Amino acid sequence: MKTEKTVYRRLVCWVALLPVVLGLVIAAGCTPITMAVPPGLAGGVDKLPVERPAMQSALVDEEWTFGDYAAVVDRGGKKSSGAGVGAFSASKSSQAFKFTLKGAGADRSAECEIAESSKGIGGFSKTARTMSCTFTADGADSWVLELGGENASEDVMGVVTAGADHYEVVAVHESEQGGTLSNATGYAFRAADQDTGAVDVNSPGIVYLAHGISSEQAGAMACASIAMMLYADSTSGF
């Protein structure tokens, strides 16, 4: 009888502890992934967490803020088409979006388009994605962001041109939690082998601005950061 009571008490204890154990396991498994800050920004950065709606919608404009910057984002809609003959298939998709950004060095309006094309035969396929953005301001030259195309590589995905400055868009695959991921955790912006900023694209996102850059450079990094976060959002929903 004593043995049965002991087993029963232990069972009750385990049942009582089960929710706690499960909670710890779930919490450990749900730790959000964040980008490891690129070594090129080791000299010091301003870390600006992004605040934006958790739900994405093409029907309602979104208000984003980070640091002293404020943006209104219009995701727009998606268009797609495709065809197939026998074992051959081809498809195209596109999404146009725009946003306005206000803040230091960045009173700009942006219009962007992401395009994806895919061709396949049998069980094999090849997909290409590009993005082009134009950032305009009254009385000032336009800034341009181009991703993909002939000049892109696996890591250097594109270029931001802001006046006389050119910034490479470099994919970052390392996470702050350790390890390297197949999908980019963020992107660094690099001019003349020196990182001037970066963006963690894991929602809601974090913008990093290097210490010592000008307000115009910071504005260009802010514009490019929003574009890259929207580009990352579209990857899973394209």
Side-chain angles (χ1 to χ4, degrees), residues 22-204:
L22 287 175
L24 292 173
V25 171
I26 292 172
C30 293
T31 300
I33 297 296
T34 51
M35 177 192 71
V37 179
L41 293 173
V45 292
D46 291 324
K47 180 179 179 180
L48 310 178
V50 178
E51 294 185 6
R52 55 167 166 156
M55 298 295 291
Q56 303 173 10
S57 174
L59 302 177
V60 180
D61 290 351
E62 302 172 16
E63 295 184 359
W64 295 23
T65 59
F66 51 96
D68 294 329
Y69 295 94
V72 177
V73 177
D74 178 358
R75 291 182 181 270
K78 298 178 182 178
K79 299 179 181 180
S80 61
S81 62
V85 178
F88 176 80
S89 63
S91 63
K92 292 182 178 180
S93 300
S94 65
Q95 179 181 9
F97 60 86
K98 57 187 178 181
F99 62 84
T100 57
L101 177 65
K102 294 186 180 296
D107 190 356
R108 297 261 167 178
S109 298
E111 292 190 1
C112 303
E113 183 175 41
I114 302 172
E116 180 177 294
S117 61
S118 179
K119 295 181 179 180
I121 184 168
F124 301 93
S125 64
K126 184 177 181 180
T127 301
R129 300 185 79 229
T130 61
M131 180 171 72
S132 60
C133 295
T134 302
F135 312 105
T136 59
D138 292 337
D141 292 336
S142 297
W143 299 340
V144 178
L145 184 157
E146 293 286 348
L147 291 186
E150 297 179 356
N151 297 324
S153 65
E154 183 175 353
D155 289 322
V156 181
M157 298 185 58
V159 176
V160 179
T161 302
D165 296 324
H166 301 273
Y167 308 92
E168 291 181 337
V169 181
V170 182
V172 178
H173 293 274
E174 292 74 27
S175 73
E176 195 173 29
Q177 291 70 33
T180 302
L181 282 67
S182 57
N183 293 330
T185 56
Y187 300 89
F189 305 111
R190 187 168 297 160
D193 295 326
Q194 180 179 357
D195 290 349
T196 51
V199 58
D200 181 336
V201 297
N202 300 283
S203 186

